[in-house]
mmCIF file of all heavy atoms in Angstrom:
data_model
loop_
_atom_site.group_PDB
_atom_site.id
_atom_site.type_symbol
_atom_site.label_atom_id
_atom_site.label_comp_id
_atom_site.label_asym_id
_atom_site.label_seq_id
_atom_site.Cartn_x
_atom_site.Cartn_y
_atom_site.Cartn_z
ATOM 1 N N MET S 1018 0.827 -1.201 0.000
ATOM 2 C CA MET S 1018 0.000 0.000 0.000
ATOM 3 C C MET S 1018 0.866 1.258 0.000
ATOM 4 O O MET S 1018 1.868 1.339 0.690
ATOM 5 C CB MET S 1018 -0.878 0.024 1.262
ATOM 6 C CG MET S 1018 -1.927 -1.082 1.279
ATOM 7 S SD MET S 1018 -3.190 -0.864 0.048
ATOM 8 C CE MET S 1018 -4.278 -2.229 0.505
ATOM 9 N N GLY S 1019 0.478 2.223 -0.776
ATOM 10 C CA GLY S 1019 1.206 3.483 -0.758
ATOM 11 C C GLY S 1019 2.410 3.508 -1.680
ATOM 12 O O GLY S 1019 3.086 4.508 -1.781
ATOM 13 N N GLU S 1020 2.646 2.415 -2.344
ATOM 14 C CA GLU S 1020 3.831 2.421 -3.216
ATOM 15 C C GLU S 1020 3.656 3.391 -4.381
ATOM 16 O O GLU S 1020 4.603 3.935 -4.900
ATOM 17 C CB GLU S 1020 4.097 1.023 -3.750
ATOM 18 C CG GLU S 1020 4.549 0.066 -2.651
ATOM 19 C CD GLU S 1020 4.834 -1.304 -3.237
ATOM 20 O OE1 GLU S 1020 4.581 -1.463 -4.434
ATOM 21 O OE2 GLU S 1020 5.278 -2.167 -2.482
ATOM 22 N N ASP S 1021 2.413 3.564 -4.787
ATOM 23 C CA ASP S 1021 2.177 4.446 -5.926
ATOM 24 C C ASP S 1021 2.343 5.920 -5.569
ATOM 25 O O ASP S 1021 2.332 6.781 -6.426
ATOM 26 C CB ASP S 1021 0.770 4.224 -6.469
ATOM 27 C CG ASP S 1021 0.665 2.844 -7.108
ATOM 28 O OD1 ASP S 1021 1.709 2.280 -7.471
ATOM 29 O OD2 ASP S 1021 -0.445 2.349 -7.214
ATOM 30 N N ASP S 1022 2.458 6.174 -4.295
ATOM 31 C CA ASP S 1022 2.623 7.566 -3.897
ATOM 32 C C ASP S 1022 4.002 8.102 -4.242
ATOM 33 O O ASP S 1022 4.221 9.296 -4.347
ATOM 34 C CB ASP S 1022 2.400 7.713 -2.391
ATOM 35 C CG ASP S 1022 0.924 7.489 -2.071
ATOM 36 O OD1 ASP S 1022 0.112 7.592 -3.010
ATOM 37 O OD2 ASP S 1022 0.613 7.193 -0.914
ATOM 38 N N ARG S 1023 4.921 7.164 -4.412
ATOM 39 C CA ARG S 1023 6.284 7.619 -4.730
ATOM 40 C C ARG S 1023 6.436 7.735 -6.238
ATOM 41 O O ARG S 1023 6.529 6.755 -6.936
ATOM 42 C CB ARG S 1023 7.302 6.634 -4.173
ATOM 43 C CG ARG S 1023 7.190 6.522 -2.668
ATOM 44 C CD ARG S 1023 8.259 5.605 -2.139
ATOM 45 N NE ARG S 1023 9.598 6.140 -2.434
ATOM 46 C CZ ARG S 1023 10.727 5.477 -2.161
ATOM 47 N NH1 ARG S 1023 10.686 4.295 -1.611
ATOM 48 N NH2 ARG S 1023 11.888 6.007 -2.428
ATOM 49 N N LYS S 1024 6.470 8.950 -6.683
ATOM 50 C CA LYS S 1024 6.619 9.146 -8.127
ATOM 51 C C LYS S 1024 8.067 9.527 -8.432
ATOM 52 O O LYS S 1024 8.656 10.344 -7.712
ATOM 53 C CB LYS S 1024 5.706 10.280 -8.614
ATOM 54 C CG LYS S 1024 4.235 9.887 -8.513
ATOM 55 C CD LYS S 1024 3.361 10.937 -9.146
ATOM 56 C CE LYS S 1024 3.375 12.222 -8.326
ATOM 57 N NZ LYS S 1024 2.407 13.203 -8.864
ATOM 58 N N PRO S 1025 8.607 8.940 -9.437
ATOM 59 C CA PRO S 1025 9.983 9.276 -9.804
ATOM 60 C C PRO S 1025 10.091 10.739 -10.225
ATOM 61 O O PRO S 1025 9.211 11.259 -10.901
ATOM 62 C CB PRO S 1025 10.289 8.340 -10.985
ATOM 63 C CG PRO S 1025 8.937 7.975 -11.543
ATOM 64 C CD PRO S 1025 7.992 7.997 -10.367
ATOM 65 N N ALA S 1026 11.138 11.364 -9.810
ATOM 66 C CA ALA S 1026 11.326 12.765 -10.167
ATOM 67 C C ALA S 1026 11.491 12.897 -11.676
ATOM 68 O O ALA S 1026 12.193 12.116 -12.307
ATOM 69 C CB ALA S 1026 12.557 13.317 -9.456
ATOM 70 N N LEU S 1027 10.816 13.861 -12.223
ATOM 71 C CA LEU S 1027 10.934 14.076 -13.662
ATOM 72 C C LEU S 1027 12.327 14.584 -14.002
ATOM 73 O O LEU S 1027 12.807 15.546 -13.406
ATOM 74 C CB LEU S 1027 9.890 15.096 -14.117
ATOM 75 C CG LEU S 1027 8.432 14.625 -13.978
ATOM 76 C CD1 LEU S 1027 7.495 15.752 -14.383
ATOM 77 C CD2 LEU S 1027 8.191 13.403 -14.840
ATOM 78 N N GLN S 1028 12.917 13.899 -14.944
ATOM 79 C CA GLN S 1028 14.254 14.335 -15.342
ATOM 80 C C GLN S 1028 14.133 15.497 -16.320
ATOM 81 O O GLN S 1028 13.456 15.398 -17.326
ATOM 82 C CB GLN S 1028 15.009 13.183 -16.009
ATOM 83 C CG GLN S 1028 15.361 12.077 -15.011
ATOM 84 C CD GLN S 1028 16.166 10.976 -15.670
ATOM 85 O OE1 GLN S 1028 16.124 10.845 -16.880
ATOM 86 N NE2 GLN S 1028 16.894 10.218 -14.885
ATOM 87 N N SER S 1029 14.781 16.545 -15.977
ATOM 88 C CA SER S 1029 14.740 17.701 -16.866
ATOM 89 C C SER S 1029 15.575 17.420 -18.107
ATOM 90 O O SER S 1029 16.670 16.884 -18.013
ATOM 91 C CB SER S 1029 15.274 18.936 -16.150
ATOM 92 O OG SER S 1029 16.618 18.721 -15.782
ATOM 93 N N VAL S 1030 15.008 17.749 -19.228
ATOM 94 C CA VAL S 1030 15.726 17.523 -20.476
ATOM 95 C C VAL S 1030 16.797 18.587 -20.641
ATOM 96 O O VAL S 1030 16.507 19.782 -20.592
ATOM 97 C CB VAL S 1030 14.759 17.585 -21.675
ATOM 98 C CG1 VAL S 1030 15.527 17.387 -22.981
ATOM 99 C CG2 VAL S 1030 13.676 16.532 -21.504
ATOM 100 N N GLU S 1031 17.999 18.101 -20.821
ATOM 101 C CA GLU S 1031 19.085 19.062 -20.984
ATOM 102 C C GLU S 1031 19.120 19.552 -22.430
ATOM 103 O O GLU S 1031 19.289 18.771 -23.351
ATOM 104 C CB GLU S 1031 20.416 18.412 -20.630
ATOM 105 C CG GLU S 1031 20.494 18.044 -19.148
ATOM 106 C CD GLU S 1031 21.866 17.506 -18.822
ATOM 107 O OE1 GLU S 1031 22.738 17.576 -19.694
ATOM 108 O OE2 GLU S 1031 22.057 17.020 -17.700
ATOM 109 N N VAL S 1032 18.937 20.831 -22.576
ATOM 110 C CA VAL S 1032 18.961 21.407 -23.912
ATOM 111 C C VAL S 1032 20.349 21.973 -24.187
ATOM 112 O O VAL S 1032 20.799 22.850 -23.465
ATOM 113 C CB VAL S 1032 17.918 22.535 -24.040
ATOM 114 C CG1 VAL S 1032 17.972 23.146 -25.440
ATOM 115 C CG2 VAL S 1032 16.533 21.987 -23.732
ATOM 116 N N PRO S 1033 20.980 21.435 -25.182
ATOM 117 C CA PRO S 1033 22.311 21.942 -25.515
ATOM 118 C C PRO S 1033 22.247 23.395 -25.959
ATOM 119 O O PRO S 1033 21.368 23.776 -26.733
ATOM 120 C CB PRO S 1033 22.774 21.040 -26.664
ATOM 121 C CG PRO S 1033 21.515 20.464 -27.239
ATOM 122 C CD PRO S 1033 20.536 20.394 -26.101
ATOM 123 N N THR S 1034 23.132 24.164 -25.435
ATOM 124 C CA THR S 1034 23.120 25.575 -25.799
ATOM 125 C C THR S 1034 24.264 25.881 -26.758
ATOM 126 O O THR S 1034 25.215 25.127 -26.874
ATOM 127 C CB THR S 1034 23.259 26.451 -24.559
ATOM 128 O OG1 THR S 1034 24.465 26.088 -23.886
ATOM 129 C CG2 THR S 1034 22.083 26.254 -23.619
ATOM 130 N N GLY S 1035 24.146 26.989 -27.403
ATOM 131 C CA GLY S 1035 25.221 27.394 -28.312
ATOM 132 C C GLY S 1035 24.841 27.213 -29.767
ATOM 133 O O GLY S 1035 25.619 27.477 -30.658
ATOM 134 N N GLY S 1036 23.625 26.772 -30.021
ATOM 135 C CA GLY S 1036 23.223 26.602 -31.421
ATOM 136 C C GLY S 1036 21.751 26.862 -31.597
ATOM 137 O O GLY S 1036 20.953 26.559 -30.723
ATOM 138 N N ASP S 1037 21.403 27.415 -32.716
ATOM 139 C CA ASP S 1037 19.999 27.695 -32.967
ATOM 140 C C ASP S 1037 19.455 26.803 -34.083
ATOM 141 O O ASP S 1037 18.450 27.092 -34.696
ATOM 142 C CB ASP S 1037 19.814 29.154 -33.373
ATOM 143 C CG ASP S 1037 20.121 30.083 -32.206
ATOM 144 O OD1 ASP S 1037 19.924 29.669 -31.060
ATOM 145 O OD2 ASP S 1037 20.558 31.199 -32.459
ATOM 146 N N ALA S 1038 20.156 25.725 -34.329
ATOM 147 C CA ALA S 1038 19.751 24.856 -35.437
ATOM 148 C C ALA S 1038 18.336 24.357 -35.258
ATOM 149 O O ALA S 1038 17.594 24.215 -36.208
ATOM 150 C CB ALA S 1038 20.712 23.695 -35.554
ATOM 151 N N ALA S 1039 17.973 24.103 -34.030
ATOM 152 C CA ALA S 1039 16.644 23.558 -33.770
ATOM 153 C C ALA S 1039 15.557 24.587 -34.019
ATOM 154 O O ALA S 1039 14.386 24.263 -34.082
ATOM 155 C CB ALA S 1039 16.568 23.056 -32.346
ATOM 156 N N CYS S 1040 15.963 25.817 -34.159
ATOM 157 C CA CYS S 1040 14.973 26.872 -34.339
ATOM 158 C C CYS S 1040 14.579 27.037 -35.802
ATOM 159 O O CYS S 1040 13.648 27.752 -36.111
ATOM 160 C CB CYS S 1040 15.513 28.198 -33.805
ATOM 161 S SG CYS S 1040 15.689 28.184 -32.020
ATOM 162 N N TRP S 1041 15.335 26.350 -36.691
ATOM 163 C CA TRP S 1041 15.003 26.511 -38.098
ATOM 164 C C TRP S 1041 13.757 25.721 -38.414
ATOM 165 O O TRP S 1041 13.694 24.513 -38.235
ATOM 166 C CB TRP S 1041 16.164 26.024 -38.966
ATOM 167 C CG TRP S 1041 17.392 26.846 -38.785
ATOM 168 C CD1 TRP S 1041 17.460 28.115 -38.304
ATOM 169 C CD2 TRP S 1041 18.727 26.439 -39.078
ATOM 170 N NE1 TRP S 1041 18.759 28.530 -38.294
ATOM 171 C CE2 TRP S 1041 19.565 27.531 -38.763
ATOM 172 C CE3 TRP S 1041 19.293 25.278 -39.603
ATOM 173 C CZ2 TRP S 1041 20.938 27.477 -38.939
ATOM 174 C CZ3 TRP S 1041 20.663 25.231 -39.772
ATOM 175 C CH2 TRP S 1041 21.476 26.313 -39.448
ATOM 176 N N LEU S 1042 12.778 26.407 -38.890
ATOM 177 C CA LEU S 1042 11.543 25.727 -39.235
ATOM 178 C C LEU S 1042 11.571 25.329 -40.694
ATOM 179 O O LEU S 1042 12.028 26.088 -41.536
ATOM 180 C CB LEU S 1042 10.356 26.654 -38.974
ATOM 181 C CG LEU S 1042 10.172 27.050 -37.514
ATOM 182 C CD1 LEU S 1042 9.019 28.022 -37.394
ATOM 183 C CD2 LEU S 1042 9.929 25.831 -36.657
ATOM 184 N N PRO S 1043 11.073 24.152 -40.953
ATOM 185 C CA PRO S 1043 11.010 23.712 -42.349
ATOM 186 C C PRO S 1043 10.124 24.638 -43.161
ATOM 187 O O PRO S 1043 9.092 25.088 -42.694
ATOM 188 C CB PRO S 1043 10.397 22.316 -42.267
ATOM 189 C CG PRO S 1043 10.472 21.912 -40.840
ATOM 190 C CD PRO S 1043 10.544 23.163 -40.030
ATOM 191 N N ALA S 1044 10.540 24.907 -44.359
ATOM 192 C CA ALA S 1044 9.738 25.767 -45.220
ATOM 193 C C ALA S 1044 9.484 25.042 -46.534
ATOM 194 O O ALA S 1044 10.175 24.098 -46.883
ATOM 195 C CB ALA S 1044 10.472 27.078 -45.467
ATOM 196 N N LEU S 1045 8.492 25.492 -47.238
ATOM 197 C CA LEU S 1045 8.173 24.868 -48.513
ATOM 198 C C LEU S 1045 8.713 25.709 -49.656
ATOM 199 O O LEU S 1045 8.708 26.932 -49.603
ATOM 200 C CB LEU S 1045 6.660 24.730 -48.652
ATOM 201 C CG LEU S 1045 5.997 23.815 -47.617
ATOM 202 C CD1 LEU S 1045 4.504 23.761 -47.872
ATOM 203 C CD2 LEU S 1045 6.608 22.429 -47.646
ATOM 204 N N CYS S 1046 9.171 25.000 -50.674
ATOM 205 C CA CYS S 1046 9.677 25.688 -51.846
ATOM 206 C C CYS S 1046 8.533 26.405 -52.550
ATOM 207 O O CYS S 1046 7.447 25.858 -52.717
ATOM 208 C CB CYS S 1046 10.330 24.682 -52.796
ATOM 209 S SG CYS S 1046 10.845 25.417 -54.355
ATOM 210 N N ALA S 1047 8.780 27.622 -52.965
ATOM 211 C CA ALA S 1047 7.735 28.398 -53.629
ATOM 212 C C ALA S 1047 7.460 27.857 -55.028
ATOM 213 O O ALA S 1047 6.401 28.077 -55.592
ATOM 214 C CB ALA S 1047 8.160 29.858 -53.722
ATOM 215 N N ASP S 1048 8.441 27.148 -55.581
ATOM 216 C CA ASP S 1048 8.290 26.680 -56.955
ATOM 217 C C ASP S 1048 7.745 25.266 -57.055
ATOM 218 O O ASP S 1048 6.815 24.995 -57.801
ATOM 219 C CB ASP S 1048 9.640 26.752 -57.667
ATOM 220 C CG ASP S 1048 10.088 28.194 -57.855
ATOM 221 O OD1 ASP S 1048 9.213 29.071 -57.922
ATOM 222 O OD2 ASP S 1048 11.299 28.433 -57.939
ATOM 223 N N CYS S 1049 8.352 24.347 -56.301
ATOM 224 C CA CYS S 1049 7.944 22.953 -56.449
ATOM 225 C C CYS S 1049 7.276 22.398 -55.204
ATOM 226 O O CYS S 1049 6.738 21.305 -55.221
ATOM 227 C CB CYS S 1049 9.153 22.099 -56.832
ATOM 228 S SG CYS S 1049 10.342 21.864 -55.505
ATOM 229 N N GLY S 1050 7.328 23.144 -54.124
ATOM 230 C CA GLY S 1050 6.632 22.698 -52.926
ATOM 231 C C GLY S 1050 7.414 21.720 -52.086
ATOM 232 O O GLY S 1050 6.893 21.170 -51.123
ATOM 233 N N ALA S 1051 8.665 21.473 -52.439
ATOM 234 C CA ALA S 1051 9.478 20.560 -51.644
ATOM 235 C C ALA S 1051 9.787 21.186 -50.294
ATOM 236 O O ALA S 1051 9.868 22.411 -50.171
ATOM 237 C CB ALA S 1051 10.781 20.252 -52.377
ATOM 238 N N MET S 1052 9.959 20.344 -49.300
ATOM 239 C CA MET S 1052 10.263 20.876 -47.978
ATOM 240 C C MET S 1052 11.741 21.210 -47.883
ATOM 241 O O MET S 1052 12.597 20.366 -48.136
ATOM 242 C CB MET S 1052 9.885 19.864 -46.902
ATOM 243 C CG MET S 1052 10.142 20.390 -45.510
ATOM 244 S SD MET S 1052 9.361 19.379 -44.246
ATOM 245 C CE MET S 1052 7.627 19.717 -44.537
ATOM 246 N N ILE S 1053 12.007 22.431 -47.534
ATOM 247 C CA ILE S 1053 13.385 22.880 -47.424
ATOM 248 C C ILE S 1053 13.717 23.083 -45.961
ATOM 249 O O ILE S 1053 13.054 23.839 -45.268
ATOM 250 C CB ILE S 1053 13.597 24.208 -48.191
ATOM 251 C CG1 ILE S 1053 13.135 24.041 -49.643
ATOM 252 C CG2 ILE S 1053 15.048 24.630 -48.124
ATOM 253 C CD1 ILE S 1053 13.165 25.355 -50.412
ATOM 254 N N GLU S 1054 14.755 22.372 -45.526
ATOM 255 C CA GLU S 1054 15.182 22.546 -44.145
ATOM 256 C C GLU S 1054 16.518 23.259 -44.135
ATOM 257 O O GLU S 1054 17.395 22.957 -44.924
ATOM 258 C CB GLU S 1054 15.312 21.186 -43.467
ATOM 259 C CG GLU S 1054 13.964 20.493 -43.336
ATOM 260 C CD GLU S 1054 14.102 19.236 -42.522
ATOM 261 O OE1 GLU S 1054 14.917 19.212 -41.599
ATOM 262 O OE2 GLU S 1054 13.396 18.269 -42.823
ATOM 263 N N GLY S 1055 16.645 24.188 -43.243
ATOM 264 C CA GLY S 1055 17.903 24.918 -43.167
ATOM 265 C C GLY S 1055 17.671 26.339 -42.732
ATOM 266 O O GLY S 1055 16.546 26.733 -42.445
ATOM 267 N N PRO S 1056 18.738 27.062 -42.699
ATOM 268 C CA PRO S 1056 18.625 28.459 -42.253
ATOM 269 C C PRO S 1056 17.877 29.282 -43.279
ATOM 270 O O PRO S 1056 17.771 28.899 -44.441
ATOM 271 C CB PRO S 1056 20.088 28.907 -42.157
ATOM 272 C CG PRO S 1056 20.820 28.027 -43.112
ATOM 273 C CD PRO S 1056 20.096 26.708 -43.099
ATOM 274 N N PRO S 1057 17.356 30.410 -42.850
ATOM 275 C CA PRO S 1057 16.668 31.310 -43.782
ATOM 276 C C PRO S 1057 17.579 31.643 -44.953
ATOM 277 O O PRO S 1057 18.743 31.959 -44.775
ATOM 278 C CB PRO S 1057 16.382 32.555 -42.936
ATOM 279 C CG PRO S 1057 16.348 32.054 -41.524
ATOM 280 C CD PRO S 1057 17.348 30.921 -41.474
ATOM 281 N N GLY S 1058 17.055 31.528 -46.139
ATOM 282 C CA GLY S 1058 17.872 31.818 -47.311
ATOM 283 C C GLY S 1058 18.333 30.561 -48.015
ATOM 284 O O GLY S 1058 18.883 30.624 -49.103
ATOM 285 N N ALA S 1059 18.100 29.403 -47.378
ATOM 286 C CA ALA S 1059 18.492 28.151 -48.011
ATOM 287 C C ALA S 1059 17.662 27.945 -49.275
ATOM 288 O O ALA S 1059 16.485 28.269 -49.315
ATOM 289 C CB ALA S 1059 18.292 26.991 -47.045
ATOM 290 N N VAL S 1060 18.314 27.396 -50.295
ATOM 291 C CA VAL S 1060 17.602 27.183 -51.546
ATOM 292 C C VAL S 1060 17.054 25.770 -51.601
ATOM 293 O O VAL S 1060 17.497 24.881 -50.872
ATOM 294 C CB VAL S 1060 18.529 27.426 -52.753
ATOM 295 C CG1 VAL S 1060 18.986 28.874 -52.773
ATOM 296 C CG2 VAL S 1060 19.712 26.480 -52.695
ATOM 297 N N CYS S 1061 16.122 25.558 -52.463
ATOM 298 C CA CYS S 1061 15.488 24.255 -52.605
ATOM 299 C C CYS S 1061 16.491 23.238 -53.107
ATOM 300 O O CYS S 1061 17.240 23.486 -54.049
ATOM 301 C CB CYS S 1061 14.319 24.370 -53.584
ATOM 302 S SG CYS S 1061 13.520 22.781 -53.927
ATOM 303 N N TRP S 1062 16.476 22.068 -52.465
ATOM 304 C CA TRP S 1062 17.405 21.014 -52.859
ATOM 305 C C TRP S 1062 16.964 20.350 -54.152
ATOM 306 O O TRP S 1062 17.724 19.666 -54.813
ATOM 307 C CB TRP S 1062 17.485 19.963 -51.748
ATOM 308 C CG TRP S 1062 16.139 19.447 -51.339
ATOM 309 C CD1 TRP S 1062 15.339 19.962 -50.349
ATOM 310 C CD2 TRP S 1062 15.423 18.356 -51.913
ATOM 311 N NE1 TRP S 1062 14.168 19.243 -50.274
ATOM 312 C CE2 TRP S 1062 14.198 18.242 -51.238
ATOM 313 C CE3 TRP S 1062 15.695 17.446 -52.947
ATOM 314 C CZ2 TRP S 1062 13.252 17.275 -51.535
ATOM 315 C CZ3 TRP S 1062 14.752 16.481 -53.246
ATOM 316 C CH2 TRP S 1062 13.538 16.397 -52.550
ATOM 317 N N ARG S 1063 15.727 20.558 -54.520
ATOM 318 C CA ARG S 1063 15.201 19.875 -55.704
ATOM 319 C C ARG S 1063 15.332 20.728 -56.945
ATOM 320 O O ARG S 1063 15.808 20.280 -57.971
ATOM 321 C CB ARG S 1063 13.733 19.520 -55.467
ATOM 322 C CG ARG S 1063 13.110 18.800 -56.643
ATOM 323 C CD ARG S 1063 11.617 18.631 -56.450
ATOM 324 N NE ARG S 1063 11.321 17.599 -55.468
ATOM 325 C CZ ARG S 1063 10.081 17.358 -55.034
ATOM 326 N NH1 ARG S 1063 9.088 18.086 -55.463
ATOM 327 N NH2 ARG S 1063 9.858 16.424 -54.153
ATOM 328 N N CYS S 1064 14.887 21.963 -56.854
ATOM 329 C CA CYS S 1064 14.869 22.792 -58.049
ATOM 330 C C CYS S 1064 15.718 24.043 -57.908
ATOM 331 O O CYS S 1064 15.881 24.792 -58.851
ATOM 332 C CB CYS S 1064 13.427 23.183 -58.401
ATOM 333 S SG CYS S 1064 12.706 24.378 -57.248
ATOM 334 N N GLY S 1065 16.242 24.268 -56.710
ATOM 335 C CA GLY S 1065 17.096 25.436 -56.531
ATOM 336 C C GLY S 1065 16.309 26.710 -56.346
ATOM 337 O O GLY S 1065 16.865 27.806 -56.349
ATOM 338 N N GLY S 1066 15.012 26.558 -56.173
ATOM 339 C CA GLY S 1066 14.174 27.741 -55.983
ATOM 340 C C GLY S 1066 14.329 28.289 -54.586
ATOM 341 O O GLY S 1066 15.105 27.810 -53.777
ATOM 342 N N THR S 1067 13.540 29.293 -54.329
ATOM 343 C CA THR S 1067 13.599 29.925 -53.020
ATOM 344 C C THR S 1067 12.454 29.458 -52.145
ATOM 345 O O THR S 1067 11.441 28.970 -52.642
ATOM 346 C CB THR S 1067 13.528 31.448 -53.163
ATOM 347 O OG1 THR S 1067 12.337 31.785 -53.878
ATOM 348 C CG2 THR S 1067 14.726 31.962 -53.933
ATOM 349 N N ARG S 1068 12.659 29.633 -50.871
ATOM 350 C CA ARG S 1068 11.605 29.239 -49.943
ATOM 351 C C ARG S 1068 10.419 30.186 -50.045
ATOM 352 O O ARG S 1068 10.572 31.353 -50.344
ATOM 353 C CB ARG S 1068 12.152 29.279 -48.516
ATOM 354 C CG ARG S 1068 13.278 28.322 -48.307
ATOM 355 C CD ARG S 1068 14.043 28.681 -47.066
ATOM 356 N NE ARG S 1068 13.177 28.645 -45.888
ATOM 357 C CZ ARG S 1068 13.559 28.191 -44.696
ATOM 358 N NH1 ARG S 1068 14.770 27.751 -44.527
ATOM 359 N NH2 ARG S 1068 12.744 28.186 -43.692
ATOM 360 N N ARG S 1069 9.292 29.620 -49.767
ATOM 361 C CA ARG S 1069 8.097 30.447 -49.764
ATOM 362 C C ARG S 1069 8.073 31.236 -48.467
ATOM 363 O O ARG S 1069 8.158 30.668 -47.388
ATOM 364 C CB ARG S 1069 6.857 29.566 -49.878
ATOM 365 C CG ARG S 1069 5.592 30.390 -49.981
ATOM 366 C CD ARG S 1069 4.433 29.517 -50.398
ATOM 367 N NE ARG S 1069 4.197 28.443 -49.437
ATOM 368 C CZ ARG S 1069 3.421 27.409 -49.688
ATOM 369 N NH1 ARG S 1069 2.865 27.288 -50.875
ATOM 370 N NH2 ARG S 1069 3.213 26.480 -48.789
ATOM 371 N N GLU S 1070 8.005 32.510 -48.572
ATOM 372 C CA GLU S 1070 8.060 33.340 -47.380
ATOM 373 C C GLU S 1070 6.729 33.992 -47.112
ATOM 374 O O GLU S 1070 5.932 34.206 -48.009
ATOM 375 C CB GLU S 1070 9.129 34.413 -47.565
ATOM 376 C CG GLU S 1070 10.434 33.783 -48.002
ATOM 377 C CD GLU S 1070 11.598 34.382 -47.244
ATOM 378 O OE1 GLU S 1070 11.374 35.391 -46.586
ATOM 379 O OE2 GLU S 1070 12.684 33.834 -47.312
ATOM 380 N N GLY S 1071 6.546 34.277 -45.857
ATOM 381 C CA GLY S 1071 5.299 34.933 -45.475
ATOM 382 C C GLY S 1071 4.192 33.921 -45.296
ATOM 383 O O GLY S 1071 3.970 33.070 -46.141
ATOM 384 N N ASP S 1072 3.562 34.020 -44.182
ATOM 385 C CA ASP S 1072 2.426 33.131 -43.969
ATOM 386 C C ASP S 1072 1.487 33.721 -42.940
ATOM 387 O O ASP S 1072 1.781 34.750 -42.379
ATOM 388 C CB ASP S 1072 2.909 31.751 -43.505
ATOM 389 C CG ASP S 1072 3.682 31.854 -42.218
ATOM 390 O OD1 ASP S 1072 4.504 32.774 -42.113
ATOM 391 O OD2 ASP S 1072 3.458 31.035 -41.329
HETATM 392 ZN ZN1 LIG X 1531 11.836 23.560 -55.319
#
């Protein structure tokens, strides 16, 4: 009895600092619609077009 009262402490997820790579949101190519991942300004890997901006 009472064993369920002991809950394991939640382990805090350690977020590595020093990079904003995780902040890059995938964008769609304005020309072919392919998903482009990378920093702002990255060109489409399929057609070399630009990302669709504004939403
Ligand atoms: Zn494209």
